[in-house]
Amino acid sequence: MKKWIPTTMAVVMLAGMLAACGEKTEQPAASSAAGAGSASTKPAEKTKFSISLRTLAFNYVEKSPDINQDKWVKKLEDMTNTDMNIVLVPHKEYEQKMIQMFATNDIPDVVQGSGGVNGKEMAGSVKAGVFQPLDELLQKYGQNLLKKVPKEAWDNVTYNGKIYAIPEYLSNPSRRAVFIRKDLLDKTGLGVPKTVDEYLAVLRKFKEMGVENPYMGRENFKYSDTFFGAYDVFPYLSMFEKQGDQIVPKFFDTENMTKALQTYKTMFDEGLINKEFATINPTVFKNTILAGKAGMWSMNANEVLQWEAQLKATVPTGDIEIISAPTGPDGKGGHYLYGPVTRAYFINKSVKDPAGIIKFFDWMMSDEAEKFFTFGIEGDTYKMVDGKIDYKAPTEVAAVDEERYRQSFLWLVQDTTYNKGSLSLTEDGKKLMNIYDTTLKNEGRDGIQFEPRLDALVKNPDIAPLSDQAPPVILQHMVKMVYGKEPISDWPKVLEEWKSKGGNDVIKEATEKFNSKDSGTTVSMPRK
């Protein structure tokens, strides 16, 4: 991926160029250690391959002068007898860069997708034959993968009955959570909030106490959508519901959508959320929180201990805890439920000998891999005492970023719900696992979903963004309504605008596929 071209031209070129794949080929060598997860003798020749990886806004990754020279990458290559060429794809430009990658035909040996075979970022490349089916290879070289990765994840990366990717999976789909500064909550004299009204009462107390951002907002409502969950109206086109005789997006529930928007407007008017929340990027979002300037926010639950460790560098008495998401009129709440696959790895059909690559990923499921990614290098990040691992989780900000990079970014295939190895070492870790198994297990919002993605959504990106963002035509009105630039009562007009720009086609297709049980489409009903 050395060249980038404008997205519009990339789309035009895409259809004619997908048939031809990248020219890079893998050297025919494979590590037996990677295949079996053992310390067996390695062949002399290394398995060489290029791989594209999204930066995921990880500080450690985006600040690296050369990720291919990183000590953890080098150690990983040594343990698996591989020689990787990692090509980083900028997090904020991910979709655009992926489209350009396929259009320019500069396709690595392994391509990381953000989900299943039909993700928007894959630009129809699986259907176009860019990647090779992996069933036979997995049977020969991927037994660890086949045994440990759940069926739901394999189904998500299957096309026309063939497996086309190796999935990183999620055993608990309720991944996001509400984080609260428990030390600040204790000072309010209030209990742990449960309903929307109780949440607002806590935020108002935070405001009175001088907390700069009682609720920390972020651009596009990303990781700031807690109250849409309370009213079950996430504005995402991965969640549909039955309304009369039609299948429509959940944001068509005008009554509850207006209540959710009014909640955010109340927060905005009263200074309970930053006045500039609509433009706060991920870096500012995190830095503001870690500077001790926020009382409550949403984030992936598996990061709570690392965020608390980093907060304590600024606020030694800071205490972050996860609490149940606010409940709405139906007594339920929670963030949207993730799919079974968080990332997936596709192997270019031009790779002549992919066996070594399969063995590399199969090694990710081994005990050796778990020990490496969880604890690092013996004598460096941990030591052995009386036959047991002595590992101290880092507390300094840069070291925490490095640990997060090793455990989450570099461990390409794992159950990303949480890292059981490291959490089991501390009481706080055990507490977090219990939160996953209790609090998060019992909350979360879902809807009717279609796989593959509806054609009407693929054809019209203005009304169909990523799974956890509102369509641009919808989002702009949401922000204006919260800012008081448009009346919330005009929500029905917003829906009419969305329908006129292609939404009618989406509703028609969704309804037809729901009713016909189209054999080429998987219709998933809400899990909760």
Side-chain angles (χ1 to χ4, degrees):
M1 289 184 288
K2 302 172 183 175
K3 301 177 288 184
W4 303 113
I5 59 176
T7 303
T8 303
M9 184 176 293
V11 174
V12 173
M13 295 171 63
L14 183 59
M17 301 186 74
L18 275 178
C21 295
E23 298 177 355
K24 297 179 181 180
T25 59
E26 179 212 353
Q27 299 300 316
S31 166
S32 57
S38 67
S40 55
T41 304
K42 298 175 182 177
E45 190 174 6
K46 292 187 176 184
T47 297
K48 297 181 179 181
F49 63 95
S50 56
I51 180 171
S52 63
L53 299 176
R54 186 176 185 175
T55 64
L56 300 175
F58 276 36
N59 285 333
Y60 186 92
V61 177
E62 296 187 338
K63 292 180 179 179
S64 174
D66 184 354
I67 198 68
N68 286 297
Q69 298 304 315
D70 174 71
K71 77 170 187 178
W72 297 108
V73 172
K74 289 297 184 182
K75 183 62 177 179
L76 175 59
E77 291 176 328
D78 179 63
M79 296 179 76
T80 57
N81 200 42
T82 57
D83 181 4
M84 293 186 293
N85 175 26
I86 298 175
V87 182
L88 295 177
V89 183
H91 184 67
K92 291 193 69 174
E93 304 171 274
Y94 178 62
E95 278 198 13
Q96 177 187 12
K97 295 300 186 184
M98 288 288 283
I99 290 174
Q100 292 176 357
M101 178 185 74
F102 289 119
T104 57
N105 198 34
D106 195 6
I107 306 171
D109 298 321
V110 180
V111 173
Q112 180 194 74
S114 63
V117 295
N118 297 296
K120 184 180 178 182
E121 80 288 347
M122 297 304 293
S125 55
V126 175
K127 185 178 180 179
V130 174
F131 303 104
Q132 56 183 291
L134 306 177
D135 302 75
E136 293 184 8
L137 288 162
L138 288 167
Q139 286 296 332
K140 291 181 180 179
Y141 309 109
Q143 284 301 311
N144 282 330
L145 290 164
L146 292 175
K147 290 175 182 177
K148 295 184 179 182
V149 177
K151 180 179 181 301
E152 294 78 8
W154 289 119
D155 289 345
N156 196 255
V157 294
T158 296
Y159 176 73
N160 281 347
K162 297 287 187 179
I163 294 173
Y164 275 87
I166 299 168
E168 180 182 53
Y169 60 99
L170 192 65
S171 61
N172 185 342
S174 186
R175 188 182 190 187
R176 293 186 183 179
V178 176
F179 288 21
I180 193 168
R181 282 282 302 279
K182 185 61 165 54
D183 56 310
L184 297 179
L185 178 63
D186 290 343
K187 292 179 181 179
T188 68
L190 300 175
V192 176
K194 295 181 180 179
T195 66
V196 171
D197 287 342
E198 290 173 355
Y199 261 72
L200 291 176
V202 168
L203 296 178
R204 289 179 179 123
K205 275 292 186 181
F206 282 169
K207 179 69 175 178
E208 291 176 14
M209 291 163 51
V211 179
E212 190 173 323
N213 300 278
Y215 180 87
M216 189 60 201
R218 183 172 145 182
E219 61 186 350
N220 300 331
F221 289 98
K222 193 175 177 71
Y223 288 100
S224 303
D225 52 4
T226 306
F227 297 97
F228 291 115
Y231 292 98
D232 198 14
V233 286
F234 282 122
Y236 312 137
L237 283 162
S238 56
M239 303 174 72
F240 289 78
E241 66 182 8
K242 199 170 190 300
Q243 194 175 97
D245 59 356
Q246 292 185 317
I247 304 299
V248 299
K250 283 207 166 186
F251 55 77
F252 267 59
D253 182 347
T254 298
E255 178 182 357
N256 282 305
M257 189 65 181
T258 54
K259 288 179 180 178
L261 288 169
Q262 184 58 56
T263 299
Y264 282 98
K265 187 175 188 306
T266 296
M267 292 164 62
F268 179 84
D269 291 343
E270 297 184 19
L272 307 181
I273 189 171
N274 193 296
K275 296 291 185 181
E276 306 298 327
F277 82 89
T279 58
I280 293 176
N281 63 39
T283 301
V284 173
F285 174 79
K286 183 175 183 178
N287 289 344
T288 301
I289 293 169
L290 298 184
K293 298 179 181 180
M296 184 188 300
W297 62 95
S298 292
M299 183 42 57
N300 293 335
N302 62 345
E303 298 194 26
V304 63
L305 299 182
Q306 293 169 326
W307 281 51
E308 183 177 69
Q310 291 177 305
L311 171 68
K312 286 182 179 296
T314 305
V315 186
T317 59
D319 178 17
I320 301 175
E321 289 197 5
I322 289 175
I323 61 175
S324 297
T327 57
D330 62 356
K332 300 178 182 179
H335 297 81
Y336 86 98
L337 299 180
Y338 279 65
V341 175
T342 52
R343 296 183 289 184
Y345 302 89
F346 301 80
I347 299 179
N348 195 318
K349 75 174 183 181
S350 295
V351 174
K352 294 182 179 179
D353 183 6
I357 296 176
I358 295 293
K359 290 181 179 181
F360 168 79
F361 284 109
D362 192 66
W363 177 83
M364 296 275 170
M365 295 281 96
S366 70
D367 292 341
E368 183 184 30
E370 182 176 1
K371 184 177 180 180
F372 167 66
F373 291 117
T374 301
F375 305 114
I377 301 170
E378 184 177 356
D380 180 5
T381 52
Y382 77 90
K383 59 184 178 180
M384 299 299 296
V385 178
D386 297 329
K388 295 182 180 180
I389 293 175
D390 181 13
Y391 177 76
K392 299 294 188 297
T395 57
E396 193 270 328
V397 174
V400 172
D401 279 342
E402 185 173 353
E403 179 193 55
R404 178 173 177 248
Y405 154 76
R406 186 184 71 243
Q407 294 182 351
S408 300
F409 180 89
L410 206 56
W411 195 355
L412 303 179
V413 180
Q414 59 171 311
D415 181 354
T416 57
T417 301
Y418 54 70
N419 188 304
K420 185 176 181 180
S422 59
L423 294 183
S424 298
L425 297 178
T426 66
E427 290 304 314
D428 283 343
K430 294 175 183 177
K431 182 178 178 181
L432 176 56
M433 289 192 290
N434 183 61
I435 288 172
Y436 266 104
D437 296 337
T438 56
T439 301
L440 296 183
K441 182 179 180 180
N442 295 316
E443 68 179 33
R445 297 290 196 178
D446 205 3
I448 298 170
Q449 299 185 42
F450 299 90
E451 182 69 26
R453 193 174 174 90
L454 298 174
D455 291 337
L457 294 177
V458 176
K459 295 175 182 177
N460 196 336
D462 187 48
I463 65 168
L466 290 170
S467 60
D468 63 345
Q469 292 185 32
V473 68
I474 293 289
L475 178 63
Q476 62 178 328
H477 291 291
M478 291 167 58
V479 173
K480 288 179 180 179
M481 289 176 176
V482 172
Y483 276 63
K485 304 297 184 181
E486 291 180 3
I488 294 176
S489 59
D490 276 357
W491 188 252
K493 296 181 181 178
V494 176
L495 298 181
E496 289 302 316
E497 180 181 352
W498 179 81
K499 289 194 292 184
S500 70
K501 293 185 175 181
N504 278 322
D505 293 334
V506 173
I507 294 172
K508 179 181 178 182
E509 183 182 356
T511 302
E512 289 177 349
K513 289 191 172 181
F514 181 84
N515 292 330
S516 68
K517 307 301 181 186
D518 184 340
S519 60
T521 301
T522 299
V523 180
S524 301
M525 299 302 290
R527 289 164 285 181
K528 293 184 181 180

